[in-house]
Amino acid sequence: AFKGVKPGYIDRFDFMNKILILYTEDSTDLENEYDEYEYEVINGMRTEKPVKKNDHIINALEYVVWFAKIRHGIRF
């Protein structure tokens, strides 16, 4: 079993942006979620906080990638 500290969504998404993620051509739902991913905007300025909506596949992928990071000791 995997035990560890649950990472925040910003940490997970930032890590995903640093690696190459390959997916199949027919993974259109994943691609659509990624294309629609957005960050919170306050007073016209983008924050580093993602808006949590329609991100079910990406959220699952974030956990898988984070597990691989921990399991294999990947550091950036």
Side-chain angles (χ1 to χ4, degrees):
F2 174 68
K3 293 182 181 179
V5 176
K6 180 180 174 182
Y9 53 83
I10 294 173
D11 292 332
R12 294 189 316 263
F13 196 75
D14 284 349
F15 181 71
M16 283 182 36
N17 281 325
K18 294 177 182 175
I19 63 174
L20 176 64
I21 297 174
L22 302 175
Y23 55 94
T24 62
E25 191 174 280
D26 60 346
S27 298
T28 55
D29 291 339
L30 172 61
E31 193 168 312
N32 290 339
E33 278 190 23
Y34 188 81
D35 289 343
E36 293 175 6
Y37 207 87
E38 56 187 273
Y39 289 88
E40 185 178 83
V41 175
I42 298 175
N43 296 328
M45 300 291 292
R46 189 188 109 172
T47 70
E48 293 301 313
K49 183 178 180 183
V51 174
K52 300 298 289 171
K53 66 176 186 177
N54 190 28
D55 67 344
H56 307 292
I57 299 169
I58 288 179
N59 189 254
L61 182 60
E62 289 170 1
Y63 278 101
V64 169
V65 168
W66 193 264
F67 172 79
K69 173 189 184 309
I70 300 302
R71 178 72 172 100
H72 298 289
I74 301 168
R75 295 187 187 356
F76 285 105

